[in-house]
Amino acid sequence: MPVEITWWGHATCTVEDRGTRVLTDPLFTRRLAHLRRRRGAPPPPSAALADLVLVSHLHADHLHVPSLARLAPGTRVVVPRGATKAVPGLRRLRTLKIVEVDAGDRIEAGNVVVRAVPADHDGRRLPVGPQRAPALGYLVEGDARTYFAGDTGLFESMGEAVGEVDVALLPVGGWGPYLGAHHLDPARAAEALARIAPRSAVPVHYGTYWPIGMDAVRPHEFHTPGDEFVRQAALRAPGVAVHRLGHGESVRPEVADQ
């Protein structure tokens, strides 16, 4: 069965490969603190069905404890090393199997292998707290090699650290009118494509959440990153097939013969 990618919004995706379902950074809520979901319905209950869940870093829009609580008992949740100490709510999820990893660690799940890779991003549990856990990306290896970048900026060794990739799930925006350091905007995400050289890419982490009361503040940062990434990718990495999905949409990208 071909690999299938479903984008549920923000950084939440399902990667189904060899019959194994891998869920990334689950965020199932309509509202998170000062953010509200402005586009796309929250993912349906079926989105929480997964053989393995990958959490890229500790920010609340990526490690959302109430969303993790919706997972079926016994689900394995992979988090950066130090997460359970930094986020007490994780320790209350006693029905889940929390697995802490560092970059370079490998996890077997069903018919796939997942490798944790570095990311260039603030790994703290904001708005306060010391740096107790790194930010990570993940490579899901089955019939395809699918790279979930989590949240990251460009870094010099990105191509080497990630390795060969068939499909890249790359952040191209954020949840507010300005992107801070260590993020990818559409142009930098297109540069990441040039460094990683996947066969296909799916833009994520844009066009879903926005601060309450700020609809008129730089609205193009909410509406345009997906289309702008398609344009930039055509300029900087013309050999990559870009699939800009709507919320809840799926694609079966072409992958290299194994």
Side-chain angles (χ1 to χ4, degrees):
M1 178 179 178
V3 62
E4 183 172 88
I5 310 295
T6 303
W7 183 50
W8 302 111
H10 203 54
T12 307
C13 302
T14 295
V15 178
E16 187 163 2
D17 194 340
R18 293 182 178 172
T20 301
R21 289 173 60 91
V22 179
L23 177 66
T24 67
D25 287 352
L27 186 59
F28 299 149
T29 186
R30 290 185 179 275
R31 180 171 176 175
L32 172 62
H34 64 299
L35 305 179
R36 65 182 173 93
R37 191 173 180 117
R38 287 198 58 217
R39 181 180 290 166
S46 60
L49 300 176
D51 298 293
L52 189 71
V53 176
L54 306 177
V55 173
S56 62
H57 62 288
L58 306 192
H59 294 176
D61 58 321
H62 293 259
L63 195 169
H64 186 243
V65 173
S67 293
L68 294 176
R70 299 188 189 184
L71 301 172
T75 302
R76 276 195 296 167
V77 180
V78 178
V79 298
R81 181 82 59 192
T84 52
K85 182 177 180 180
V87 184
L90 278 177
R91 298 195 291 272
R92 295 194 291 270
L93 301 177
R94 295 184 178 88
T95 65
L96 304 180
K97 297 179 180 178
I98 309 294
V99 180
E100 294 194 347
V101 297
D102 295 304
D105 288 348
R106 298 170 68 88
I107 307 99
E108 294 186 6
N111 298 312
V112 303
V113 175
V114 175
R115 177 165 57 90
V117 299
D120 178 27
H121 195 65
D122 185 346
R124 293 177 297 168
R125 183 67 165 178
L126 299 177
V128 295
Q131 181 81 34
R132 287 182 172 168
L136 297 173
Y138 297 96
L139 190 70
V140 181
E141 299 175 306
D143 286 335
R145 293 170 291 268
T146 302
Y147 171 47
F148 170 63
D151 217 350
T152 187
L154 285 170
F155 55 98
E156 190 64 30
S157 62
M158 177 178 274
E160 179 182 354
V162 175
E164 190 173 356
V165 175
D166 293 301
V167 188
L169 312 180
L170 290 181
V172 302
W175 50 253
Y178 300 98
L179 280 176
H182 313 295
H183 290 82
L184 296 179
D185 62 9
R188 291 193 292 269
E191 175 60 26
L193 287 188
R195 297 186 186 190
I196 299 167
R199 295 172 65 90
S200 303
V202 176
V204 302
H205 203 270
Y206 77 100
T208 308
Y209 291 90
W210 201 249
I212 294 169
M214 297 187 70
D215 289 1
V217 180
R218 296 174 63 87
H220 63 282
E221 298 289 355
F222 178 85
H223 293 286
T224 65
D227 288 335
E228 180 63 11
F229 174 68
V230 172
R231 188 183 76 84
Q232 292 282 350
L235 296 173
R236 301 183 186 216
V240 179
V242 177
H243 304 279
R244 189 178 69 80
L245 302 178
H247 293 82
E249 288 188 346
S250 303
V251 65
R252 292 182 175 179
E254 182 181 353
V255 301
D257 294 333
Q258 301 296 303

